[in-house]
Coordinates of all heavy atoms in Angstrom, one line a residue:
S240 N 176.0 -35.3 52.4 CA 176.1 -34.6 53.7 C 177.3 -33.6 53.7 O 177.5 -32.9 54.7 CB 176.4 -35.6 54.8 OG 177.7 -36.1 54.7
K241 N 178.0 -33.4 52.6 CA 179.1 -32.5 52.5 C 178.6 -31.1 52.7 O 177.7 -30.6 52.0 CB 179.9 -32.7 51.2 CG 181.1 -31.8 51.0 CD 181.7 -32.1 49.7 CE 182.9 -31.1 49.4 NZ 183.5 -31.4 48.1
Q242 N 179.2 -30.3 53.6 CA 178.8 -28.9 53.9 C 180.1 -28.1 54.1 O 181.1 -28.7 54.5 CB 177.9 -28.9 55.1 CG 176.7 -29.7 55.0 CD 176.0 -29.8 56.4 OE1 176.4 -29.1 57.3 NE2 175.0 -30.6 56.5
R243 N 179.9 -26.8 54.0 CA 181.0 -25.9 54.4 C 180.6 -25.3 55.7 O 179.4 -24.8 55.9 CB 181.2 -24.8 53.4 CG 182.0 -25.3 52.2 CD 182.8 -24.2 51.6 NE 183.6 -24.7 50.5 CZ 184.8 -25.2 50.6 NH1 185.4 -25.1 51.8 NH2 185.5 -25.6 49.6
H244 N 181.5 -25.3 56.7 CA 181.2 -24.7 58.0 C 182.5 -24.0 58.5 O 183.5 -24.6 58.7 CB 180.8 -25.8 59.0 CG 180.4 -25.2 60.3 ND1 179.3 -24.5 60.6 CD2 181.1 -25.4 61.5 CE1 179.3 -24.2 61.9 NE2 180.3 -24.7 62.5
K245 N 182.4 -22.7 58.7 CA 183.5 -21.9 59.1 C 184.8 -22.1 58.3 O 185.9 -22.3 58.8 CB 183.8 -22.2 60.6 CG 182.7 -21.8 61.5 CD 183.1 -22.0 63.0 CE 181.9 -21.6 63.9 NZ 182.2 -21.8 65.3
G246 N 184.6 -22.2 57.0 CA 185.7 -22.3 56.0 C 186.2 -23.7 55.9 O 187.2 -23.9 55.2
Q247 N 185.6 -24.7 56.5 CA 186.1 -26.1 56.4 C 185.0 -26.9 55.8 O 183.8 -26.7 56.0 CB 186.4 -26.7 57.8 CG 187.6 -26.1 58.4 CD 188.0 -26.9 59.7 OE1 187.1 -27.2 60.5 NE2 189.2 -27.3 59.8
I248 N 185.4 -28.0 55.1 CA 184.4 -29.0 54.6 C 184.2 -30.0 55.7 O 185.1 -30.5 56.3 CB 185.0 -29.7 53.4 CG1 185.1 -28.7 52.2 CG2 184.0 -30.8 53.0 CD1 185.8 -29.2 51.0
V249 N 182.9 -30.1 56.1 CA 182.5 -31.1 57.1 C 181.5 -32.1 56.5 O 180.8 -31.8 55.5 CB 181.9 -30.4 58.3 CG1 182.9 -29.5 59.0 CG2 180.6 -29.6 58.0
Y250 N 181.4 -33.2 57.1 CA 180.5 -34.3 56.6 C 179.6 -34.6 57.8 O 180.1 -34.8 58.9 CB 181.2 -35.5 56.1 CG 182.1 -35.2 54.9 CD1 183.4 -34.8 55.1 CD2 181.6 -35.4 53.6 CE1 184.2 -34.5 54.0 CE2 182.4 -35.1 52.5 CZ 183.7 -34.7 52.7 OH 184.5 -34.4 51.6
L251 N 178.3 -34.7 57.5 CA 177.4 -35.1 58.6 C 177.2 -36.6 58.6 O 176.7 -37.2 57.6 CB 176.0 -34.4 58.4 CG 174.9 -34.6 59.4 CD1 175.4 -34.1 60.8 CD2 173.6 -34.0 59.0
F252 N 177.6 -37.2 59.7 CA 177.4 -38.7 59.9 C 176.1 -38.9 60.6 O 175.9 -38.2 61.7 CB 178.6 -39.3 60.7 CG 179.9 -39.3 59.9 CD1 180.6 -38.2 59.6 CD2 180.4 -40.5 59.5 CE1 181.8 -38.2 58.9 CE2 181.6 -40.6 58.8 CZ 182.3 -39.5 58.5
R253 N 175.3 -39.8 60.2 CA 174.0 -40.0 60.8 C 173.8 -41.5 61.0 O 174.1 -42.3 60.2 CB 172.9 -39.5 59.9 CG 172.9 -38.1 59.6 CD 172.0 -37.7 58.5 NE 172.4 -38.4 57.2 CZ 172.8 -37.8 56.2 NH1 172.9 -36.5 56.1 NH2 173.2 -38.4 55.1
R254 N 173.3 -41.9 62.2 CA 172.9 -43.2 62.5 C 171.4 -43.3 62.5 O 170.7 -42.5 63.1 CB 173.4 -43.7 63.9 CG 174.9 -43.8 64.0 CD 175.4 -45.2 63.7 NE 174.7 -46.1 64.6 CZ 175.0 -47.4 64.5 NH1 175.9 -47.9 63.7 NH2 174.4 -48.3 65.3
V255 N 170.9 -44.3 61.7 CA 169.4 -44.4 61.5 C 169.0 -45.7 62.2 O 169.6 -46.7 62.1 CB 169.1 -44.4 60.0 CG1 167.6 -44.6 59.8 CG2 169.6 -43.1 59.4
R256 N 167.9 -45.6 62.9 CA 167.2 -46.8 63.5 C 166.1 -47.2 62.5 O 165.3 -46.4 62.1 CB 166.6 -46.5 64.8 CG 167.6 -46.2 65.9 CD 168.4 -47.4 66.4 NE 167.6 -48.5 66.9 CZ 167.3 -48.8 68.2 NH1 167.8 -48.0 69.1 NH2 166.6 -49.8 68.5
W257 N 166.1 -48.5 62.2 CA 165.1 -49.0 61.2 C 164.1 -49.9 61.9 O 163.3 -50.5 61.2 CB 165.8 -49.8 60.1 CG 166.8 -48.9 59.4 CD1 168.1 -48.9 59.6 CD2 166.5 -48.0 58.3 NE1 168.7 -48.0 58.7 CE2 167.7 -47.5 57.9 CE3 165.3 -47.7 57.6 CZ2 167.8 -46.5 56.9 CZ3 165.4 -46.7 56.6 CH2 166.7 -46.2 56.3
D258 N 164.1 -50.0 63.2 CA 163.2 -50.9 63.9 C 161.8 -50.4 64.2 O 161.0 -51.1 64.8 CB 163.9 -51.4 65.2 CG 164.2 -50.2 66.1 OD1 164.1 -49.1 65.7 OD2 164.7 -50.5 67.3
A259 N 161.5 -49.2 63.8 CA 160.2 -48.6 64.0 C 159.5 -48.6 62.6 O 160.1 -48.9 61.6 CB 160.3 -47.2 64.5
P260 N 158.2 -48.3 62.6 CA 157.5 -48.3 61.3 C 158.1 -47.3 60.3 O 158.1 -47.6 59.1 CB 156.1 -47.8 61.7 CG 155.9 -48.2 63.1 CD 157.3 -48.1 63.7
T261 N 158.7 -46.2 60.9 CA 159.4 -45.3 60.0 C 160.8 -45.2 60.5 O 161.1 -45.2 61.7 CB 158.7 -43.9 60.0 OG1 158.7 -43.4 61.3 CG2 157.3 -44.0 59.4
A262 N 161.8 -45.0 59.6 CA 163.2 -44.8 60.0 C 163.3 -43.5 60.8 O 162.6 -42.5 60.5 CB 164.1 -44.8 58.8
R263 N 164.2 -43.5 61.7 CA 164.5 -42.2 62.5 C 166.0 -42.1 62.7 O 166.7 -43.1 63.0 CB 163.7 -42.2 63.7 CG 163.9 -43.3 64.7 CD 162.9 -43.2 65.9 NE 162.9 -44.5 66.6 CZ 163.8 -44.9 67.5 NH1 164.7 -44.1 67.9 NH2 163.7 -46.0 68.1
I264 N 166.4 -40.9 62.7 CA 167.8 -40.6 63.0 C 168.0 -40.5 64.5 O 167.3 -39.8 65.2 CB 168.3 -39.2 62.3 CG1 168.2 -39.3 60.8 CG2 169.7 -38.9 62.8 CD1 168.5 -38.1 60.1
V265 N 168.9 -41.3 65.0 CA 169.1 -41.4 66.5 C 170.4 -40.7 66.9 O 170.5 -40.5 68.1 CB 169.1 -42.9 67.0 CG1 167.7 -43.5 66.8 CG2 170.1 -43.7 66.3
E266 N 171.2 -40.4 66.0 CA 172.5 -39.8 66.3 C 173.0 -39.1 65.0 O 172.9 -39.6 63.9 CB 173.5 -40.8 66.8 CG 174.8 -40.3 67.2 CD 175.8 -41.3 67.7 OE1 175.4 -42.5 67.6 OE2 176.9 -41.0 68.1
R267 N 173.6 -37.9 65.2 CA 174.2 -37.2 64.1 C 175.4 -36.4 64.7 O 175.3 -35.8 65.8 CB 173.2 -36.4 63.3 CG 172.7 -35.1 64.1 CD 171.7 -34.3 63.2 NE 170.4 -34.9 63.4 CZ 169.4 -34.8 62.5 NH1 169.6 -34.0 61.5 NH2 168.3 -35.3 62.7
R268 N 176.4 -36.3 63.9 CA 177.6 -35.5 64.3 C 178.4 -35.2 63.0 O 178.5 -36.0 62.1 CB 178.4 -36.3 65.2 CG 179.6 -35.5 65.8 CD 180.2 -36.2 66.9 NE 181.5 -35.5 67.2 CZ 182.4 -36.0 68.0 NH1 182.2 -37.1 68.6 NH2 183.4 -35.3 68.3
S269 N 178.9 -34.0 63.0 CA 179.7 -33.5 61.9 C 181.2 -33.8 62.1 O 181.6 -33.6 63.3 CB 179.5 -32.0 61.6 OG 178.2 -31.8 61.2
F270 N 181.9 -34.2 61.1 CA 183.3 -34.4 61.2 C 184.0 -33.8 60.0 O 183.5 -33.9 58.9 CB 183.7 -35.9 61.2 CG 183.3 -36.6 62.5 CD1 182.1 -37.4 62.5 CD2 184.2 -36.6 63.6 CE1 181.8 -38.1 63.7 CE2 183.8 -37.3 64.7 CZ 182.6 -38.0 64.8
T271 N 185.2 -33.3 60.2 CA 186.1 -33.0 59.1 C 186.9 -34.3 58.8 O 186.9 -35.2 59.6 CB 187.0 -31.9 59.4 OG1 187.8 -32.3 60.5 CG2 186.3 -30.6 59.7

Side-chain angles (χ1 to χ4, degrees):
S240 71
K241 182 178 174 180
Q242 304 169 7
R243 285 208 174 271
H244 181 71
K245 296 183 181 178
Q247 289 189 312
I248 295 174
V249 297
Y250 297 88
L251 181 62
F252 288 72
R253 300 166 297 244
R254 291 270 303 182
V255 178
R256 293 287 303 260
W257 301 96
D258 57 353
T261 57
R263 59 188 161 83
I264 295 174
V265 293
E266 183 180 3
R267 71 180 82 201
R268 184 168 173 192
S269 294
F270 289 97
T271 61

